[in-house]
Amino acid sequence: GSTGVTIKSIEDTAGWVRVQWDAGQAADYRVGAESAYDLIVVEQAPLMKEEIGVRVRRGPDWKWDDQDGGPGSTGVTIKSIEDTAGWVRVQWDAGQAADYRVGAESAYDLIVV
C-alpha cells in the first residue's frame, strides 16, 4: 500500500477526511461514514509545519531529554518562533514550555496526538 497524511476533515461531511499521498495526489476517504473505514492508520504523523493549538508528544527526531515531562507526556503548540522558520513553542502539560523543530534542520521533534 501507499502512505499519506490526513490533511483535513471534510467540512459539512462527518466521517470523511482528505489524505495527501506521498506520490502527490490528494483524495477523500471514509473514516466512519456509511459505517466504513477506507484507511488504516499505521503511525501518528509528525507535526510538519508551524501550527498553533495542536496537541503533540515526542516525535521521531526527539533529542531533548525529559523537557516534556517524560515519555508519553503531551502538550499544546502555543506559538511559532519569530524569525526562525521550522520551529514552534510547546507548553507541556507538565508545566515547562520550550521550542521544537517542525522541519528545521530536516527534523521533526513532535507527533500530533
Side-chain angles (χ1 to χ4, degrees):
S2 299
T3 58
V5 175
T6 303
I7 56 175
K8 73 178 209 174
S9 297
I10 308 304
E11 293 179 24
D12 301 324
T13 310
W16 287 82
V17 295
R18 179 158 298 142
V19 173
Q20 177 70 51
W21 295 102
D22 292 348
Q25 73 277 20
D28 299 338
Y29 297 91
R30 297 173 295 183
V31 289
E34 304 165 4
S35 298
Y37 294 85
D38 298 321
L39 305 169
I40 297 173
V41 176
V42 293
E43 66 181 56
Q44 292 175 313
L47 183 63
M48 303 291 288
K49 61 184 179 179
E50 301 162 42
E51 294 182 71
I52 307 308
V54 178
R55 182 150 291 277
V56 296
R57 67 175 173 85
R58 293 180 182 194
D61 298 312
W62 184 264
K63 67 174 191 173
W64 310 105
D65 297 319
D66 285 340
Q67 283 185 358
D68 57 351
S73 296
T74 60
V76 175
T77 57
I78 57 173
K79 72 179 229 177
S80 298
I81 307 308
E82 294 179 25
D83 301 322
T84 308
W87 287 81
V88 67
R89 181 159 297 150
V90 174
Q91 176 66 56
W92 295 106
D93 294 347
Q96 185 167 332
D99 302 339
Y100 301 96
R101 301 168 296 178
V102 289
E105 303 169 11
S106 298
Y108 300 90
D109 293 322
L110 306 168
I111 288 178
V112 177
V113 295

